[in-house]
């Protein structure tokens, strides 16, 4: 790998030696069928370490989802490069699992069939597929709902199912696009705790897109704050909380950190609002 | 509901048809329509009974059902595949839409002289005409349905390791299914109309052949009996279709 | 079902897009490619017609068919015939559209209407309606009225079934929230149900319009009188295959324009719908 | 070795037996028809024991057509071999469709033969029309402009100084609906043929204003036609076919076999025997030549009238398109 790239990447964040994802000078222009092209991402460089939990925080419309979709390989990279384990991203793959805000469950498949889907694409024996599907259904607490269709589930259950589907194929990287954004406050909190528990049990590289500062601070080891459109990386904040502490969110250190980041984001959020008006 | 009440419910459900038949009966008893063009229901039913009890009639029905079924099947399979392909690959959309758009509004019976050159007057040309006439509703439905396939579902499948073909099969096709099937219902009804009109013009046998020759011979009792048979077959096919569609789409509720 | 409120980008994924060429170059290039199959078909026609394997009666050359259309155009026959056919087809279509949407809405919203008309639609749709032509003639005479009625009678069915499907697929949440915002029963119809069901209703109309044209031509063939179908019938009785093929071409052109205009109208009326992000064909 | 010899023998014998089989394969004659019973082919081939050659030198296949135009297309495309055409369609097929190879091979029915039926043009008994002059400003119903009866009607009206559009308007209806058009006053003059013309209600309410005979005189109305190429290739088979046809026609025309005729007609048409008993194959029916030989002179006359009305571009000598040699040979064999 080009060492200059590595250097620059290292300049962006810590843990360069353990870098798994390297985003280098990425820009992206969105071209709608009608209307002017929009610069969505402008010259973003970012390095993410192996098994790191990174939150990508920014106001709505700042291009953080676009960045995630490019990482997922769903959108082509035009300017700049993204490498995962030194290989350029060229299209989607099961090494990068994704969880969407609106679940994206196959509505014509039952919970079990949804979770099985990715497993069926791997060459596993049938029994093993079934065992693993059950394991992850149990893990997310959907036991008893294996034969339900998504339309019969609540929002939280749908997202559990989506998470189980993604985790079942054991991706090295977990891309999460505001996964709890569509859930109510209580469910969201529960899901956050569960996500942390799952991650603690088997750590993966997680890139977690959110516009909720508290969520970012609560979950991530590192928060990358993005600016309003065009999206740039404005700041990267390292966090070092003990997330096993049940009173963490009430601790002064936590609240201060949230406030500090919220100050950073607020300006951008206002800009984003102004830009829309 | 068990069988007794279920039967009563079914009877109630289809009571409007009885009402329609009653209307027909009254139209001829009160001379709203000349019996020369619309015979009384009773005589239609009695000649219908005579007709249905001949083997020849079932032979005619069989050959019509074969043509209609083949035409419809081709329309659903090819029309559905075309609609989905048109939504998935732009080149196919560009290349096929003028052809589809030109052929659909043509009266299929006007094409008989052309299809006769190529396929003669046998089953093949009738199947082709039925296929052409039934295809568009299916294609439009499949096309709109496939275009409505959610992007995140496609992406999910891809990131779960599905190839593009696999994604087409596993995500786009099921997404297109509700609208495709709705188009198929229209196609099903059209297939009966087209089948009769294509058999009326040239045929050795078939329900359209019967309608044509009974009508030309002024045997309106028997002709309307065949029309009723076509309507009954169409109705039955529609009900079977609805049950089938409900089963296929049961994930929606 | 859940088509109305889906967000998200249009589906044709960028992997298939043709890259960086300027828009007009792309659309012109595609324009040529799009018509290629039609052109090939026409060329094949001309080649077969000239090859002598078939007689000019069975397949006249395109040049002669176009000449015939040209002379009919100059003499004024063609515009009159096309105009008459078009007027009847459109009149029948408009009647079928209005009544069909109204009936579909009534059936979707009212249990009595549904009970009464559901089996009738199911029986009436596949019935060969041409058998009832003599009755219509006796009731309504030989001229436009009976033809337009026949057209509307054939065309109404796909509109009704599409409207029902459309209304059924409107999400309950939309209806509930509208009611919650104090929408009246009537406002619900005009402001909520109709627009929300419009994609499916429009699909029904797109299926129905060509049927109107087809039935228009067929009734002219069966009953005589002026119009494209009438001229085709006269021509075929006189073993004048040029006239028949000219008629086929006229219907093809008229039908194609109709289908295209409907697609444009759809794009205009459904600007808010995600499908409009992409050009609508078919 | 024995096996080889047997196989070799079989291999050698195969083409021989196949050839013999081919020689015996009957020529398939596809016949186009429009109206059951009234078009005789629908009833001629129903009694196997009088058909000497059917299934041997020839076989038939009956195909129904909605009208003459698709029949001409089918003839041109080689999809049918024998078609029943009215004199008017015959002339149009030869002149407009350019089917120079069309040949009249037999007679089906003649109009205006003395002592036989002729198709009437009818008005209401107690209606306003009593003479042809009364047609002025009225609506006439025809089965289609340029058809055989239509020509007869127009020719007669023209003889009486009446022109379409100027003096009367015309609408189209099928023969079965003519009665209703008249009695429901949708048309003032209708054109009908058997069996619709003898419907009791029509006979009761309507009266005949003039007939096809009044207009055309004696006319060769409907003929059997085939393509010359087909005839030349299958002369023997067609002769056999005509022999069976004539024998069957004579059998059915024989009063002794009337019950059988009525049964056949009823079975084929799915109508009651009563619908035919009063007229079929009697002098209340159109004239049919017992030897199925057409009257070429009468045919020429009708076509001339067609041409004079402007419904045929050029004059035409129909005798060039008549080949009754096979029918004559068949008739001779039966003598």
């Amino acid at each position: 790998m080009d060492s200059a790239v590595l250097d620059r990447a290292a300049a962006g964040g810590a843990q360069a030696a353990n870098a798994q994802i390297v985003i280098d000078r990425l820009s992206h222009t969105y071209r709608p069928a009608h209307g002017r092209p929009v610069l969505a991402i402008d010259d973003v460089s970012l390095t993410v370490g192996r098994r790191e939990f990174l939150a990508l925080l920014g106001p709505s419309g700042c291009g953080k989802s676009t960045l995630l979709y490019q990482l997922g390989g769903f959108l082509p990279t035009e300017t700049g490069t993204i490498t995962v384990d030194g290989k350029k991203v060229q299209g989607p793959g099961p090494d990068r699992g994704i969880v969407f805000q609106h679940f994206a469950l196959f509505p014509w498949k039952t919970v079990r069939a949804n979770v099985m889907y990715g497993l069926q694409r791997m060459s596993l024996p049938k029994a093993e597929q079934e065992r693993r599907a059950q394991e992850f259904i149990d893990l997310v607490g959907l036991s008893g709902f294996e034969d339900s269709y998504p339309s019969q589930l609540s929002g939280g259950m749908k997202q559990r199912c989506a998470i189980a589907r993604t985790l079942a194929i054991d991706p090295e990287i977990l891309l999460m696009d505001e996964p709890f954004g569509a859930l109510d406050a209580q469910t969201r909190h529960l899901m956050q705790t569960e996500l942390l528990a799952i991650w603690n049990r088997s750590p993966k590289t997680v890139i977690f897109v959110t516009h909720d500062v508290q969520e970012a601070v609560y979950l991530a080891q590192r928060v990358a704050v993005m600016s309003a459109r065009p999206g740039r990386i404005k700041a990267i904040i390292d966090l070092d909380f003990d997330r096993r502490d049940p009173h963490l969110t009430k601790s002064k250190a936590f609240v201060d950190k949230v406030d500090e980041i919220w100050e950073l984001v607020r300006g951008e959020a206002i800009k984003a609002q102004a830009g829309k008006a | 509901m068990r069988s007794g009440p279920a039967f009563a419910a079914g009877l109630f459900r289809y009571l409007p048809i009885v009402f329609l038949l009653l209307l027909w009966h009254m139209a001829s008893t009160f001379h709203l329509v000349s019996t020369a063009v619309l015979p009384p229901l009773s005589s239609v039913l009695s000649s219908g009974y005579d007709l249905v009890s001949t083997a020849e009639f079932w032979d005619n029905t069989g050959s019509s059902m074969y043509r209609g079924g083949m035409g419809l099947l081709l329309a659903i399979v090819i029309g559905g595949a075309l609609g989905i392909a048109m939504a998935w690959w732009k080149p196919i959309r560009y290349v096929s839409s003028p052809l589809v758009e030109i052929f659909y509004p043509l009266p299929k019976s006007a094409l008989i002289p052309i299809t006769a050159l190529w396929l003669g007057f046998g089953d093949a040309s009738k199947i082709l005409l039925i296929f052409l006439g039934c295809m568009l509703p299916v294609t439009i439905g499949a096309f709109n349905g496939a275009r409505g396939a959610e992007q995140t579902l496609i992406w999910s499948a891809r990131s779960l390791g599905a190839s593009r073909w696999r994604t087409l099969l596993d995500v786009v096709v099921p997404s297109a299914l509700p609208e495709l099937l709705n188009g198929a219902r229209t196609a099903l009804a059209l297939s009966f109309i087209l089948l009769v009109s294509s058999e009326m013009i040239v045929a050795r046998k078939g329900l359209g052949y019967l309608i044509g020759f009974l009508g030309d011979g002024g045997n309106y009792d028997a002709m309307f009996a065949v029309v009723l048979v076509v309507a009954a077959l169409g109705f039955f096919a529609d009900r079977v279709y609805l049950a089938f569609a409900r089963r296929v789409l049961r994930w929606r509720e | 079902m859940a088509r109305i409120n889906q967000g998200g980008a249009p589906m044709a994924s960028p992997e298939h897009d043709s890259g960086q060429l300027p828009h007009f170059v792309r659309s012109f290039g595609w324009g040529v490619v799009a018509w290629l199959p039609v052109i090939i078909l026409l060329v094949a026609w001309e080649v077969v017609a000239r090859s002598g394997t078939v007689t000019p009666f069975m397949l006249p050359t395109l040049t002669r068919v176009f000449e015939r259309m040209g002379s009919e155009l100059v003499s004024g026959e063609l515009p009159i015939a096309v105009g008459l056919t078009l007027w009847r087809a459109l009149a029948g279509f408009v009647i079928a559209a209005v009544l069909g949407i109204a009936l579909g809405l009534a059936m979707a919203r009212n249990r009595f209407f549904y009970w009464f008309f559901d089996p009738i639609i199911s029986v009436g749709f596949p019935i060969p309606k041409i058998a009832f032509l003599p009755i219509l003639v006796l009731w309504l005479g030989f001229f436009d009225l009976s033809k337009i009625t026949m057209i509307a009678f054939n065309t109404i069915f796909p509109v009704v079934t599409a409207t029902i499907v459309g209304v059924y697929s409107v999400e309950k949440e939309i209806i509930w929230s509208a009611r919650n915002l104090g929408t009246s029963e009537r406002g619900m119809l005009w402001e909520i149900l109709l627009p929300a069901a419009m994609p499916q209703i429009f699909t029904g109309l797109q299926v129905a319009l060509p049927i109107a044209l087809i039935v228009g031509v067929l009734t002219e063939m069966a009953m005589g009188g002026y119009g494209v179908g009438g001229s085709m019938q006269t021509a075929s009785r006189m073993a004048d295959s040029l006239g028949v093929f000219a008629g086929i071409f006229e219907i093809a052109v008229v039908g194609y324009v109709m289908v295209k205009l409907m697609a444009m109208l759809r794009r205009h009326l459904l600007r808010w719908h995600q499908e409009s992000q992409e050009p609508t064909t078919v | 070795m024995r096996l080889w010899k047997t196989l070799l023998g079989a291999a050698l014998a195969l083409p021989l037996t196949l050839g013999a089989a081919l020689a015996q394969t009957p020529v398939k004659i596809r016949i186009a028809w429009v109206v059951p019973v009234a078009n005789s082919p629908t009833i001629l081939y129903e009694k196997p024991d009088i058909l000497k050659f059917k299934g041997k030198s020839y076989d038939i296949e009956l195909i129904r057509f909605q009208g003459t135009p698709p029949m001409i297309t089918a003839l041109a495309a080689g999809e049918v071999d024998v078609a029943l055409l009215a004199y008017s369609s015959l002339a149009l097929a030869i002149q407009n469709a350019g089917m120079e190879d069309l040949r009249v091979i037999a007679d089906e029915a003649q109009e205006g033969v003395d002592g036989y039926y002729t198709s009437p043009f009818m008005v209401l008994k107690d209606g306003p029309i009593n003479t042809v002059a009364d047609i002025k400003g009225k609506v006439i119903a025809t089965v289609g402009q340029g058809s055989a009866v239509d020509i007869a009607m127009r020719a007669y009206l023209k003889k009486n100084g009446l022109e379409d559009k100027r003096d009367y308007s015309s609408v189209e209806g099928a023969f079965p609906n003519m009665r209703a058009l008249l009695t429901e006053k949708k048309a003032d003059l209708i054109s009908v043929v058997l069996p619709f013309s003898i419907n009791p209600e029509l006979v009761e309410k309507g009266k005949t204003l003039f007939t096809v005979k009044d207009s055309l005189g004696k006319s060769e109305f409907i003929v059997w036609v085939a393509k010359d190429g087909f005839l030349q290739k299958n002369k023997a088979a067609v002769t056999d076919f005509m022999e069976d046809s004539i024998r069957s026609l004579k059998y059915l025309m024989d009063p002794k076999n009337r019950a059988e005729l009525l049964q056949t007609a009823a079975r084929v048409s799915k109508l009651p025997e009563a619908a035919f008993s009063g007229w079929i194959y009697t002098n209340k029916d159109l004239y049919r030549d017992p030897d199925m030989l057409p009257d070429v002179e009468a045919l020429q006359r009708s076509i001339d009238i067609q041409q004079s009305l402007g419904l045929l571009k050029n004059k035409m000598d129909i005798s060039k398109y008549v080949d009754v040699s096979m029918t004559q040979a068949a008739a001779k064999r039966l003598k």
Side-chain angles (χ1 to χ4, degrees):
Chain A
M1 190 195 285
D2 184 351
S3 66
V5 172
L6 266 182
D7 285 350
R8 213 176 303 117
Q15 298 161 314
N18 201 13
Q20 184 177 27
I21 302 170
V22 179
I23 299 168
D24 183 39
R25 292 188 153 176
L26 189 73
S27 294
H28 186 81
T29 309
Y30 172 60
R31 291 186 183 82
H34 309 282
R36 285 180 297 133
V38 181
L39 184 62
I41 299 175
D42 185 20
D43 196 31
V44 166
S45 295
L46 186 65
T47 304
V48 186
R50 197 173 298 281
R51 293 183 185 158
E52 182 186 354
F53 198 128
L54 175 101
L56 209 51
L57 183 68
S60 47
C62 73
K64 52 192 191 298
S65 291
T66 307
L67 183 60
L68 196 74
Y69 295 160
Q70 286 191 292
L71 246 172
F74 308 123
L75 298 179
T77 48
E78 290 176 0
T79 323
T81 53
I82 302 175
T83 54
V84 171
D85 288 325
K87 274 187 271 165
K88 256 179 99 167
V89 168
Q90 280 168 329
D95 55 327
R96 283 150 292 142
I98 187 157
V99 178
F100 291 101
Q101 181 179 5
H102 293 289
F103 329 124
L105 292 174
F106 304 125
W108 48 86
K109 286 181 186 290
T110 60
V111 167
R112 182 184 287 115
N114 262 285
V115 177
M116 292 268 285
Y117 187 81
L119 297 169
Q120 283 160 346
R121 307 280 81 78
M122 299 151 71
S123 34
L124 289 174
K126 183 99 171 105
E128 173 64 8
Q129 288 176 16
E130 271 162 17
R131 194 196 58 75
R132 262 173 81 173
Q134 195 58 52
E135 177 191 336
F136 283 92
I137 289 169
D138 293 343
L139 179 73
V140 297
L142 278 180
S143 319
F145 292 93
E146 290 86 350
D147 296 318
S148 303
Y149 285 104
S151 60
Q152 299 164 321
L153 302 179
S154 71
M157 287 158 90
K158 284 183 199 166
Q159 197 57 290
R160 284 164 205 263
C161 178
I163 291 172
R165 182 177 71 177
T166 307
L167 289 178
I169 59 166
D170 195 24
E172 282 188 49
I173 299 166
L174 197 53
L175 307 173
M176 304 187 92
D177 184 16
E178 301 195 38
F180 308 143
L183 305 180
D184 63 88
Q186 284 147 345
T187 314
R188 187 186 315 164
H189 184 73
L190 275 172
M191 296 289 291
Q192 287 167 353
T193 318
E194 275 179 39
L195 177 64
L196 273 182
I198 291 168
W199 182 72
N200 279 328
R201 226 175 303 155
S202 61
K204 296 177 182 304
T205 313
V206 178
I207 299 190
F208 190 101
V209 164
T210 178
H211 59 254
D212 180 336
V213 179
Q214 179 159 12
E215 184 175 61
V217 175
Y218 179 64
L219 292 172
Q221 294 171 307
R222 207 150 58 101
V223 177
V225 179
M226 284 184 78
S227 66
R229 188 177 290 163
R232 296 190 183 96
I233 302 283
K234 191 175 176 185
I236 291 183
I237 296 111
D238 286 298
L239 301 168
D240 189 19
F241 293 113
D242 175 13
R243 291 183 175 75
R244 274 162 301 184
D245 176 4
H247 303 294
L248 172 66
T249 52
K250 294 187 187 73
S251 71
K252 188 167 182 313
F254 184 89
V255 175
D256 285 350
K257 207 69 182 174
V258 170
D259 282 346
E260 179 197 328
I261 297 176
W262 178 230
E263 279 309 313
L264 278 169
V265 176
R266 179 169 23 214
E268 297 304 327
I270 291 167
K271 256 195 269 171
Q273 282 301 319
K276 265 187 197 164
Chain B
M1 280 194 286
R2 288 288 161 255
S3 70
F7 178 74
L11 200 68
F12 175 73
R13 191 166 167 205
Y14 298 126
L15 211 57
I17 294 176
V18 178
F19 174 79
L20 216 61
L21 294 175
L22 213 64
L23 209 68
W24 177 350
H25 181 68
M26 305 230 296
S28 44
T29 22
F30 294 112
H31 299 288
L32 293 174
V33 203
S34 163
T35 49
V37 291
L38 186 69
L41 183 60
S42 50
S43 48
V44 169
L45 290 181
S46 81
S47 64
Y49 179 78
D50 293 344
L51 202 69
V52 168
S53 40
T54 60
E56 184 205 347
F57 171 80
W58 293 105
D59 186 30
N60 282 306
T61 308
S63 69
S64 281
M65 291 301 100
Y66 167 71
R67 291 166 188 153
M70 285 303 285
L72 184 65
L73 189 73
L74 287 175
I76 291 174
V77 172
I78 297 179
L82 181 66
I84 291 169
M86 283 168 79
W88 189 240
W89 288 291
K90 249 186 188 165
I92 291 189
R93 182 189 323 165
Y94 278 110
V95 167
S96 54
S97 51
L99 266 187
V100 173
E101 285 159 346
I102 285 172
F103 274 100
Y104 181 54
L106 279 179
K108 304 304 167 296
S109 48
L111 295 178
I112 285 180
I114 304 178
T115 59
L117 282 184
W118 172 31
L119 297 170
F121 285 115
D123 281 352
S125 64
K126 291 180 184 74
I127 291 170
L128 177 73
L129 293 178
I130 295 168
F131 159 70
L132 279 177
C134 295
M135 190 184 80
L136 192 84
V138 185
T139 305
I140 288 191
F143 177 72
N144 286 338
R147 275 156 60 86
E150 276 189 70
Q151 185 70 76
T152 52
L153 285 190
I154 293 166
W155 288 352
S156 291
R158 296 282 277 130
S159 81
L160 288 168
S163 64
R164 291 213 355 199
W165 273 106
R166 198 75 228 185
T167 308
L168 182 69
L169 218 64
D170 290 348
V171 180
V172 181
V173 172
S175 298
L177 213 53
E179 289 205 44
L180 188 157
L181 285 177
N182 191 39
R185 188 184 181 190
T186 306
L188 179 69
L190 290 180
S191 72
F192 280 90
I193 297 173
L194 285 160
L195 142 84
V196 168
S197 61
S198 69
E199 286 176 347
M200 262 171 88
I201 294 181
V202 195
R204 266 182 295 266
K205 56 183 176 187
L207 293 170
Y209 157 88
L210 280 180
I211 290 176
F213 113 70
L214 294 170
D216 280 357
N219 192 351
Y220 281 3
D221 289 354
M223 183 194 82
F224 274 103
V226 182
V227 170
L228 279 188
V229 168
V230 175
L233 288 170
F235 176 76
F236 182 69
D238 188 51
R239 294 293 127 172
V240 170
Y241 160 83
L242 285 179
F244 169 77
R246 209 170 299 136
R247 223 188 121 68
V248 172
L249 302 179
R250 67 179 181 280
W251 49 269
R252 294 209 296 179
E253 229 36 75
Chain C
M1 180 185 84
R3 298 254 338 253
I4 283 121
N5 63 350
Q6 281 162 12
M11 76 148 273
S13 58
E15 300 166 58
H16 322 305
D17 257 340
S18 52
Q20 317 294 331
L21 286 168
H23 183 71
F24 71 92
V25 174
R26 261 187 294 165
S27 57
F28 180 76
W30 277 122
V32 174
V33 174
W35 285 91
L36 214 55
V38 179
I39 293 166
I40 290 172
L41 212 63
L42 293 179
V43 169
W45 177 318
E46 190 73 9
V47 168
V48 173
R50 284 181 187 281
S51 70
T53 49
V54 290
T55 66
F57 168 69
M58 289 154 72
L59 196 72
T61 61
L62 283 178
T63 13
R64 288 192 57 210
V65 174
F66 290 146
E67 268 167 34
R68 168 66 170 260
M69 286 170 76
S71 68
E72 283 182 1
L73 193 67
V74 172
S75 71
E77 274 173 73
L78 192 151
I80 291 172
V82 167
L84 273 172
T85 301
L86 209 54
W87 135 248
R88 292 185 198 120
L90 288 179
F93 171 72
V94 169
I95 293 168
V98 172
L99 292 181
I101 293 174
L103 181 59
L105 285 172
M107 283 174 70
R109 300 293 289 164
N110 181 304
R111 285 182 61 188
F112 172 76
F113 273 94
Y114 190 84
W115 166 76
F116 189 80
F117 285 104
D118 172 59
I120 291 181
I121 297 281
S122 200
V123 171
F125 201 164
I127 210 167
K129 283 160 275 287
I130 200 84
F132 299 94
L133 194 63
I135 302 169
L136 281 184
V137 169
L138 282 193
W139 278 350
L140 305 170
F142 278 94
F143 303 100
D144 285 1
L145 194 56
S146 55
K147 286 175 183 154
I148 291 171
T149 308
M150 193 67 188
I151 294 167
F153 183 32
N154 270 278
T155 313
I156 194 165
F157 293 98
V159 183
V160 175
T161 52
T163 306
I164 296 172
V165 172
V167 175
Y168 278 174
S169 65
V170 177
E171 309 238 311
K172 283 188 214 74
E173 287 82 351
I174 295 178
I175 297 174
W176 288 342
S177 66
R179 191 158 282 153
N180 189 252
L181 291 167
T183 316
S184 67
E185 203 44 48
R186 195 181 213 206
M188 182 79 80
L189 187 69
W190 286 107
E191 286 164 41
I192 311 297
L193 287 180
L194 260 183
M198 199 40 95
Q200 273 94 343
I201 294 179
F202 218 92
T203 301
L205 294 178
Q206 282 178 299
V207 169
L209 182 63
I211 295 179
L213 183 64
I214 292 172
V215 176
V217 171
L218 291 181
T219 48
E220 285 169 11
M221 285 180 162
M223 295 166 61
Y226 293 103
V228 180
S231 337
M232 280 172 75
Q233 181 67 5
T234 309
S236 79
R237 280 197 193 125
M238 305 302 282
D240 168 17
S241 67
L242 272 185
V244 175
F245 283 106
I248 292 179
F249 270 95
E250 284 156 29
I251 301 167
V253 172
V254 170
Y256 179 76
V257 171
M258 270 180 155
V259 166
K260 272 295 179 211
L261 286 178
M262 279 300 270
M264 275 167 69
L265 194 63
R266 179 183 188 118
R267 218 177 315 163
H268 181 74
L269 287 179
L270 301 180
R271 285 186 304 273
W272 51 272
H273 197 264
Q274 61 151 324
E275 65 172 39
S276 303
Q277 307 298 315
E278 284 267 305
T280 309
T281 43
V282 185
Chain D
M1 277 313 272
R2 285 271 302 271
L3 182 72
W4 281 112
K5 263 185 191 159
T6 327
L7 275 179
L8 194 70
L12 283 173
L14 191 67
L16 289 174
T17 41
L18 211 64
L22 274 175
Q24 280 168 3
T25 303
V27 175
K28 171 78 84 52
I29 300 175
R30 292 160 300 175
I31 309 171
W33 60 281
V34 178
V35 190
V37 183
N39 290 162
S40 63
T42 55
I43 52 173
L44 286 183
Y45 312 105
E46 294 286 304
K47 192 178 165 63
D49 44 324
I50 55 168
L51 303 168
K52 237 167 82 184
F53 304 103
K54 183 163 179 270
K56 297 186 183 80
S57 61
Y58 78 93
D59 212 339
I60 60 148
E61 184 174 25
L62 291 168
I63 307 175
R64 180 188 173 272
F65 284 76
Q66 203 180 19
T68 313
M71 217 145 83
I72 295 176
T73 307
L75 268 174
E79 290 290 326
V80 298
D81 306 306
V82 172
L84 271 63
L85 293 181
Y87 67 87
S88 50
S89 310
L90 169 69
L92 291 168
I94 294 169
Q95 196 166 93
N96 291 2
M99 294 173 68
E100 287 289 324
D101 54 347
L102 226 46
R103 296 293 177 266
V104 174
I105 57 168
D107 162 71
E108 168 71 16
Q110 300 176 17
E111 273 273 7
V113 175
D114 290 333
Y116 284 85
Y117 193 76
T118 175
S119 303
F121 298 94
M122 299 177 82
V123 295
L124 280 179
K125 213 173 247 172
D126 45 4
I129 300 172
N130 290 303
T131 65
V132 179
D134 297 337
I135 299 281
K136 204 170 167 93
K138 294 289 192 289
V139 179
I140 65 166
T142 166
V143 278
Q145 203 186 344
S147 66
V149 257
D150 179 77
I151 288 170
M153 180 164 68
R154 277 167 210 280
Y156 193 76
L157 293 175
K158 198 178 173 192
K159 251 196 277 182
N160 288 276
L162 296 167
E163 293 273 358
D164 192 5
K165 293 195 180 77
R166 189 190 73 192
D167 302 310
Y168 58 89
S169 53
S170 55
V171 294
E172 288 184 14
F175 285 129
N177 303 330
M178 288 292 181
R179 166 168 60 110
L181 291 179
L182 185 68
T183 55
E184 307 264 317
K185 299 195 171 66
K186 296 286 165 190
D188 302 296
L189 175 77
I190 59 165
S191 141
V192 263
V193 294
L194 286 168
F196 311 109
S197 53
I198 54 165
N199 175 281
E201 194 204 349
L202 184 60
V203 171
E204 181 199 322
K205 290 185 179 163
K207 64 177 180 195
T208 300
L209 193 66
F210 59 96
T211 64
V212 172
K213 187 181 181 184
D214 295 336
S215 174
L216 301 181
K218 188 184 179 202
S219 158
E220 179 59 59
F221 220 62
I222 302 168
V223 289
W224 292 26
V225 300
K227 277 193 187 176
D228 195 37
F230 176 78
L231 296 175
Q232 296 312 326
K233 212 174 98 191
N234 304 300
K235 248 183 164 130
V238 173
T239 310
D240 290 349
F241 163 68
M242 288 315 303
E243 187 189 321
D244 275 359
S245 302
I246 296 167
R247 188 185 304 110
S248 182
L249 183 67
K250 284 185 165 157
Y251 178 82
L252 291 176
M253 283 173 130
D254 189 339
K256 277 190 301 208
N257 304 319
R258 182 132 192 94
E260 203 179 331
L261 167 67
L262 294 178
Q263 271 169 22
T264 309
R267 189 179 65 242
V268 165
S269 67
K270 299 183 173 54
L271 283 166
E273 285 180 26
F276 302 99
S277 54
W279 56 279
I280 193 166
Y281 289 4
T282 68
N283 61 355
K284 292 199 179 83
D285 195 357
L286 297 184
Y287 176 76
R288 293 162 194 274
D289 187 86
D291 287 331
M292 296 188 76
L293 288 167
D295 182 337
V296 180
E297 257 171 69
L299 183 61
Q300 180 69 53
R301 235 182 359 257
S302 304
I303 291 173
D304 288 346
I305 292 174
Q306 178 182 12
Q307 197 265 333
S308 72
L309 285 172
L311 292 166
L312 188 66
K313 265 178 276 163
N314 309 312
K315 276 197 161 295
M316 129 179 340
D317 175 11
I318 200 66
S319 63
K320 285 199 294 190
Y321 304 99
V322 175
D323 180 355
V324 289
S325 58
M326 281 150 274
T327 308
Q328 274 167 338
K332 205 186 249 163
R333 288 200 320 222
L334 284 170
K335 286 275 143 66

